[in-house]
Amino acid sequence: MFISVFDIFKIGIGPSSSHTVGPMVAVHRYLDRLRALPGAGGRAARITVTLHGSLAFTGKGHATDKAVCLGLLGARPDTMDPDQVDPMLDALQASQTLTIDGFAKLQFNPEKDVIYDYGPALPLHANGMTFQLLDANGSVVDSFVYYSIGGGFVVSEAELRKTTNEPISELAKQEVPFPFASAKEMLAMGKEAELSIAEMKLQNECADKPEEEVLQGIDKLWGAMDSCINRGIAQGGILPGGLKVKRRAADIYQKLIKEGRTNPPFEHSVVDWLGVYAMAVNEENAAGGRVVTAPTNGAAGVIPAVTRYYLDHCQGAGQDGIRTFLLTAAAIGGIIKANASISGAEVGCQGEVGSASAMAAAGLCAALGGTNEQIENAAEIALEHHLGMTCDPIAGLVQVPCIERNALGAVKAVTAASLALRGDGTHFVPLDGCIETMRQTGMDMMEQYKETSKGGLAVNIVEC
């Protein structure tokens, strides 16, 4: 089993990897399907996209409709300029036509052809999308379903039935030196090979590309994360969506800078730094800015915050440590994804912020010199103390409680890493057992607490 670091971490735009990035990816997969479909170009007149389950219930708040439109206009999440979103959407609204390679102009009315199905979700996953190509008479030329399963991963029905939550791709089938599918296997392989988790992960990544390319790619990911923090601590104003949530990261950051110059810092001020880094990222995400799925957009602030904490507050920190951090975090994220889920619509926020916190704890522990056993322990501690966390965004927006939740996830990650480093790696609950518990808890969790905005804070707090 191999899930690349570049699959776990993807550069995209906010506010959601499953509801924004995933639908954009699904659009391109469907367009590729149409281009390969004999005779489709000659009959095509109109496209419709139906959103099911969580994509319907929180689609407006997560900008799923906009993501679909942008994808149909050719935009891709990793290269999309957030400043071009509104002009592109305005032009589409005015023309109500699409220009797609291989087809005549297609009719597309964004208000009518993105359809919200508020009935039961499709049976295989909460985040289903049905694409239909229609002819001039309204008859169906082609119909196909894709699922956005979290973290920007998209699968067809056949792929989902075959693999549960891992997409079929050459990367997933690729032979690698250390094909660990569980934490137990990871520890055993590391012990036999006398290699760290990061070293094994790097060798896996280098199975199909040069090491220099892999390391440059990791550096690019960190650069995007760090830039997102820097943008977030420089922006003020009100977040879009109607809740009138004020950006706070910039104000908190300036207060921390001022206090550091004039007063001896409190011992707990490091918690404030962690919080402001995480909030900066998630405020950028909520505003539709460029973020890195880590492993999702809703949890995008945890890993950058803990990595920045490592870089700014830990002695001996450097670029090699950041690479170790992200390689180790990706290894843990891949195990979680393969054996449970990173999708809030599938298992609640334990699968998003919980997974991110576990990945960050493992990454920090590794960067600070922890053994493989201590790293696995750190991940388990962080994940264990997110078990049962619901996903209940108010108004379907990735703002409340999501932004602060990332700050707390970062704090838990550092605490977990510290506790693990104080021990020798032996512990009572194995990470694999904790991951399976998360999966079972997610399956037992009521639908209203899994990114539908039909329960929890979403219905008990009056929107202002």
Side-chain angles (χ1 to χ4, degrees):
M1 189 281 300
F2 175 62
I3 300 177
S4 172
V5 63
F6 305 111
D7 287 334
I8 290 293
F9 300 126
K10 304 183 188 74
I11 299 174
I13 60 171
S16 172
S17 51
S18 60
H19 288 58
T20 311
V21 176
M24 291 179 74
V25 173
V27 167
H28 285 282
R29 286 199 62 179
Y30 185 65
L31 294 180
D32 288 342
R33 169 186 166 80
L34 291 184
R35 293 185 186 101
L37 199 64
R43 298 178 58 194
R46 179 182 168 210
I47 285 181
T48 66
V49 183
T50 301
L51 308 176
H52 307 279
S54 176
L55 290 180
F57 286 111
T58 63
K60 285 289 185 182
H62 287 73
T64 305
D65 53 343
K66 295 181 180 179
V68 168
C69 294
L70 291 168
L72 290 169
L73 291 170
R76 296 182 182 272
D78 58 336
T79 57
M80 179 73 217
D81 180 355
D83 292 334
Q84 294 302 310
V85 168
D86 288 339
M88 291 176 67
L89 294 176
D90 290 343
L92 177 60
Q93 185 64 47
S95 70
Q96 298 196 0
T97 59
L98 298 169
T99 302
I100 297 172
D101 290 343
F103 294 84
K105 283 190 179 293
L106 300 178
Q107 298 175 20
F108 187 80
N109 182 338
E111 295 181 359
K112 295 182 179 180
D113 293 333
V114 179
I115 302 163
Y116 293 83
D117 175 10
Y118 296 110
L122 297 181
L124 293 184
H125 195 278
N127 289 340
M129 304 175 65
T130 300
F131 292 84
Q132 288 195 326
L133 182 69
L134 309 176
D135 64 17
N137 297 318
S139 299
V140 177
V141 177
D142 182 65
S143 181
F144 204 78
V145 174
Y146 287 104
Y147 296 91
S148 178
I149 60 173
F153 290 88
V154 171
V155 292
S156 67
E157 182 174 330
E159 291 167 350
L160 190 58
R161 286 186 182 279
K162 184 175 181 179
T163 61
T164 306
N165 21 32
E166 183 181 348
I168 296 295
S169 68
E170 291 306 312
L171 284 174
K173 295 183 289 184
Q174 180 185 338
E175 292 185 5
V176 293
F178 302 99
F180 49 83
S182 67
K184 182 178 181 180
E185 291 178 356
M186 177 181 70
L187 292 176
M189 290 180 188
K191 184 175 183 180
E192 181 178 358
E194 297 184 344
L195 293 173
S196 69
I197 294 169
E199 288 169 337
M200 290 190 292
K201 183 64 174 170
L202 180 59
Q203 288 195 28
N204 286 349
E205 296 292 335
C206 293
D208 74 334
K209 57 178 69 74
E211 181 175 327
E212 182 179 358
E213 181 181 336
V214 173
L215 295 179
Q216 287 177 349
I218 293 171
D219 292 346
K220 180 180 178 181
L221 288 172
W222 167 241
M225 292 179 183
D226 196 37
S227 294
C228 189
I229 293 175
N230 292 334
R231 288 195 309 272
I233 57 178
Q235 301 293 324
I238 303 297
L239 293 173
L243 290 183
K244 299 180 181 178
V245 173
K246 181 182 178 182
R247 284 182 181 251
R248 291 181 288 162
D251 183 55
I252 295 172
Y253 177 76
Q254 290 301 323
K255 288 179 179 177
L256 288 170
I257 292 293
K258 183 178 179 181
E259 290 170 5
R261 292 171 179 164
T262 58
N263 300 304
F266 291 114
E267 292 293 335
H268 64 256
S269 66
V270 69
V271 174
D272 297 328
W273 285 106
L274 277 165
V276 78
Y277 296 150
M279 291 173 64
V281 172
N282 283 87
E283 287 175 357
E284 278 293 296
N285 179 63
R290 186 172 302 283
V291 299
V292 177
T293 62
T296 67
N297 282 32
V302 178
I303 289 171
V306 178
T307 310
R308 181 74 169 258
Y309 159 80
Y310 161 74
L311 193 61
D312 289 354
H313 300 274
C314 296
Q315 291 184 356
Q319 192 67 24
D320 287 343
I322 291 174
R323 293 168 174 173
T324 294
F325 188 120
L326 294 180
L327 284 164
T328 305
I332 299 301
I335 291 171
I336 295 173
K337 186 185 183 321
N339 294 286
S341 176
I342 57 172
S343 168
E346 196 169 14
V347 297
C349 199
Q350 59 176 353
E352 295 205 28
V353 170
S355 296
S357 187
M359 293 164 65
L364 179 61
C365 187
L368 294 178
T371 66
N372 288 351
E373 289 73 21
Q374 289 172 320
I375 292 165
E376 186 257 1
N377 186 17
E380 186 281 323
I381 294 171
L383 185 60
E384 179 182 337
H385 297 289
H386 283 89
L387 290 176
M389 180 173 281
T390 59
C391 183
D392 50 355
I394 295 176
L397 298 168
V398 192
Q399 298 179 17
V400 182
C402 318
I403 295 170
E404 288 181 353
R405 189 167 283 176
N406 275 257
L408 272 293
V411 172
K412 286 185 181 181
V414 174
T415 303
S418 182
L419 285 172
L421 286 167
R422 296 291 183 183
D424 61 4
T426 59
H427 54 287
F428 194 80
V429 178
L431 176 58
D432 290 329
C434 192
I435 292 171
E436 173 59 17
T437 301
M438 184 182 80
R439 187 192 69 81
Q440 292 179 9
T441 302
M443 296 305 101
D444 292 339
M445 191 179 290
M446 295 176 68
E447 179 186 294
Q448 66 205 59
Y449 299 114
K450 294 193 284 188
E451 208 170 0
T452 60
S453 290
K454 296 194 294 182
L457 287 175
V459 298
N460 286 301
I461 304 299
V462 178
E463 298 174 23
C464 300

